[in-house]
């Protein structure tokens, strides 16, 4: 028997994987970046084969990993986690910089970044595991603590994309809490009794009805991708 809830006890971070190929930047969110050896310093990351970033990384042979801090906004995570690099220049939407080889990395809400040259890869069926030797790394002084995947779910109210390595297929996003005003319980009682949850990223809009032209502020999908939820 496999108890899928056991996988929720595994620890992950939140990273933006970046690369550049044929004059275009590519990037996506991953929670699988990790150090695998100390001599030489090697790291690994598993990416879905369907991601545009995966093909570009394989062709470029290099990648960066930006370690997101707890200050990272859902807009930043939404940009890299719920859009395609073939349709949006993701790094142009947020503060970014480049390593010595020209690979992009996130310079916004980032507590550390790494640059690696691919030394090997392993086909995992739906994903590819890339192994890279670190050529550059830097800790960002004064940055907030690294964001864990648990923090992303429980505090940010985020959802696991279907293409993520840790997607289990049956999880529900943690609803973001409606803020109570200075009136305390009195204002809470007056809050909307229903909301609309994005089935893609988990964002909740606290209104009775969504306008026809509504778009998710996190991942950009339309009203048709929202589901009504009781609060």
């Amino acid at each position: 028997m496999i108890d899928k809830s056991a996988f929720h006890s595994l620890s992950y971070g939140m990273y933006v994987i970046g690369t550049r190929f044929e004059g275009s930047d590519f990037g996506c969110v991953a929670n699988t970046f990790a150090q695998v050896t100390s001599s030489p310093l090697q790291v690994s990351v598993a990416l879905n084969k369907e991601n545009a970033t995966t093909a570009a990384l394989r062709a470029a042979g290099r990648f960066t990993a930006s370690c997101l801090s707890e200050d990272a906004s859902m807009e930043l995570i939404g940009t890299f986690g719920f859009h395609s690099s073939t349709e949006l220049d993701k790094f142009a939407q947020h503060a970014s910089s480049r390593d010595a080889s020209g690979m992009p990395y996130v310079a916004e809400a980032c507590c550390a970044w790494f640059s690696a040259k691919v030394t090997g890869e392993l086909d995992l069926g739906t994903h590819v595991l890339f192994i890279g030797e670190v050529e550059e790394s830097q800790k960002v002084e004064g940055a907030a603590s690294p964001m864990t995947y648990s923090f992303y779910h429980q505090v940010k109210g985020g959802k696991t994309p279907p293409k993520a390595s840790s997607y289990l297929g049956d999880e529900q996003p943690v609803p973001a809490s409606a803020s109570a005003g200075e009136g305390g319980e009195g204002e809470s009682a007056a809050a909307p009794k229903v909301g609309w949850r994005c089935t893609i990223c988990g964002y909740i809009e606290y209104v009775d009805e969504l306008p026809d032209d509504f778009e998710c502020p996190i991942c950009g999908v339309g009203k048709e991708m929202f589901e009504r939820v009781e609060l």
Side-chain angles (χ1 to χ4, degrees), residues 66-143:
S66 307
C67 180
L68 298 182
S69 73
E70 292 180 349
D71 289 341
S73 67
M74 287 299 284
E75 286 78 13
L76 188 155
I77 296 171
T79 295
F80 286 93
F82 297 97
H83 292 277
S84 172
S85 294
T86 59
E87 301 172 352
L88 178 68
D89 185 353
K90 299 181 181 182
F91 285 96
Q93 312 303 311
H94 301 276
S96 62
S97 190
R98 298 186 184 278
D99 66 9
S101 61
M103 300 291 111
Y105 63 87
V106 173
E108 174 183 328
C110 172
C111 51
W113 61 271
F114 303 82
S115 176
K117 180 179 180 180
V118 176
T119 57
E121 63 177 71
L122 178 64
D123 191 320
L124 301 177
T126 57
H127 289 64
V128 178
L129 180 70
F130 293 99
I131 307 297
E133 183 170 348
V134 176
E135 297 184 330
E136 292 182 76
S137 64
Q138 183 176 349
K139 179 181 179 181
V140 179
E141 297 298 331

Side-chain angles (χ1 to χ4, degrees), residues 62-231:
R62 292 179 178 275
F63 66 93
T64 64
S66 307
C67 180
L68 298 182
S69 73
E70 292 180 349
D71 289 341
S73 67
M74 287 299 284
E75 286 78 13
L76 188 155
I77 296 171
T79 295
F80 286 93
F82 297 97
H83 292 277
S84 172
S85 294
T86 59
E87 301 172 352
L88 178 68
D89 185 353
K90 299 181 181 182
F91 285 96
Q93 312 303 311
H94 301 276
S96 62
S97 190
R98 298 186 184 278
D99 66 9
S101 61
M103 300 291 111
Y105 63 87
V106 173
E108 174 183 328
C110 172
C111 51
W113 61 271
F114 303 82
S115 176
K117 180 179 180 180
V118 176
T119 57
E121 63 177 71
L122 178 64
D123 191 320
L124 301 177
T126 57
H127 289 64
V128 178
L129 180 70
F130 293 99
I131 307 297
E133 183 170 348
V134 176
E135 297 184 330
E136 292 182 76
S137 64
Q138 183 176 349
K139 179 181 179 181
V140 179
E141 297 298 331
S145 300
M147 183 187 298
T148 64
Y149 212 43
S150 176
F151 185 94
Y152 166 67
H153 281 293
Q154 297 178 13
V155 179
K156 296 286 190 178
K159 183 177 180 181
T160 303
K163 292 183 181 179
S165 299
S166 56
Y167 180 70
L168 297 176
D170 57 355
E171 65 181 75
Q172 294 295 323
V174 179
S177 298
S179 28
E182 294 179 353
E185 292 182 1
E187 288 208 18
S188 256
K193 301 299 184 184
V194 299
W196 295 87
R197 180 169 57 205
C198 178
T199 58
I200 302 299
C201 70
Y203 170 80
I204 295 180
E205 182 74 6
Y206 294 94
V207 294
D208 290 330
E209 295 293 338
L210 291 176
D212 291 339
D213 60 351
F214 183 82
E215 292 185 353
C216 178
I218 304 302
C219 65
V221 298
K223 173 184 177 180
E224 69 278 2
M225 297 304 295
F226 277 73
E227 62 183 1
R228 189 175 185 273
V229 292
E230 299 289 338
L231 302 176

